[in-house]
Amino acid sequence: MCGNNMSAPLPAIVPAARKATAAVIFLHGLGDTGHGWAEAFAGIRIPHVKYICPHAPTMPVSLNMRMSMPSWFDIYGLSPDADEDEAGIKRASENIKALIDQEVKNGIPPHRIILGGFSQASANSANKDMHVLQCHGDADPLVPFVFGSQTAEKMKSLINPANITFKSYRGLPHSACPEEMVDVKRFIEKQLPPISDE
């Protein structure tokens, strides 16, 4: 992963079909890898967009009886009041920032880079004007739908509420579906249109 220290393999990449003038960096969920997401993005590819799907390092995860699996940081519990692995979150954030910096060095302006993920969320004052597409299946047994709804409402208090789109998918468990991937493609097309000389 571009000079990281996460002990993870290089990201799965779906190159742009022509000159890359935009990028999507997409983080997988706990226990997964970037390969499946790269395959999903290959199916909705936009010609001027490069898709980068990094792999989390393998580490013991407290939530899963300390079994080793791909994880961006340790997870102690799923309840809203569970402790968080602040050092691990900071380390993962720094490594993702390094991926963004690498794409900027490759000539892609920061405003043409989207950071996304499965089972992820973040907002702070530095990115209060960003646009967010949050998708959630209403049959998710791992992350209850109410958590997704509450996250969307919390995000509206942190960033411009007009920039938040929350989409739900009937009967969808903790996974993605074709309808959702079409919504993701439309979001990317709207946020990263072709540059006039493309």
Side-chain angles (χ1 to χ4, degrees), residues 9-15 24 26 33-39 51-55:
L10 293 174
I13 294 176
V14 178
V24 171
F26 194 87
T33 69
H35 293 297
W37 290 104
E39 187 176 313
Y51 299 89
I52 304 157
C53 301
H55 310 289

Side-chain angles (χ1 to χ4, degrees), residues 6 28 42 46 56 60 70 77 94 115 147 164-165 173 176 181 188 192 196:
M6 292 176 71
H28 63 76
I46 300 167
E94 290 167 353
L115 178 61
F147 285 8
I164 304 273
T165 302
M181 293 308 292
I188 294 169
L192 302 174
S196 60

Side-chain angles (χ1 to χ4, degrees), residues 10-192:
L10 293 174
I13 294 176
V14 178
R18 57 180 189 242
K19 182 179 186 253
T21 60
V24 171
I25 299 171
F26 194 87
L27 309 178
H28 63 76
L30 177 66
D32 201 357
T33 69
H35 293 297
W37 290 104
E39 187 176 313
F41 282 112
I44 62 165
R45 180 191 233 173
I46 300 167
H48 63 278
V49 178
K50 175 182 180 182
Y51 299 89
I52 304 157
C53 301
H55 310 289
T58 298
M59 65 176 64
V61 177
S62 298
L63 176 72
N64 291 338
M65 299 178 293
R66 306 250 342 124
M67 285 181 27
S68 288
M69 62 187 59
S71 185
W72 301 107
F73 46 84
D74 196 3
I75 301 172
Y76 305 129
L78 293 178
S79 68
D81 60 345
D83 287 338
E84 293 185 340
D85 176 12
E86 291 181 29
I89 292 169
K90 185 176 187 319
R91 189 170 43 253
S93 297
E94 290 167 353
N95 284 289
I96 300 308
K97 173 117 175 36
L99 275 177
I100 295 168
D101 291 345
Q102 184 60 50
E103 291 311 304
V104 171
K105 285 180 190 165
N106 290 343
I108 297 176
H111 71 277
R112 305 262 310 150
I113 298 173
I114 289 178
L115 178 61
F118 181 82
S119 221
Q120 315 284 329
S122 176
N124 62 42
S125 61
N127 54 15
K128 64 182 171 67
D129 291 324
M130 72 177 173
H131 291 259
V132 173
L133 170 63
Q134 183 184 345
C135 303
H136 204 116
D138 69 2
D140 190 332
L142 184 61
V143 180
F145 185 76
V146 69
F147 285 8
S149 299
Q150 289 171 346
T151 299
E153 289 307 308
K154 178 65 176 172
M155 294 288 280
K156 288 178 182 178
S157 72
L158 298 172
I159 64 177
N160 182 346
N163 293 348
I164 304 273
T165 302
F166 180 76
K167 293 218 158 227
S168 62
Y169 301 89
R170 187 163 185 73
L172 183 66
H174 195 72
S175 61
C177 66
E179 179 187 358
E180 179 181 15
M181 293 308 292
V182 167
D183 289 337
V184 168
K185 181 178 183 178
R186 288 180 182 144
F187 178 81
I188 294 169
E189 287 173 329
K190 184 176 178 182
Q191 298 306 310
L192 302 174

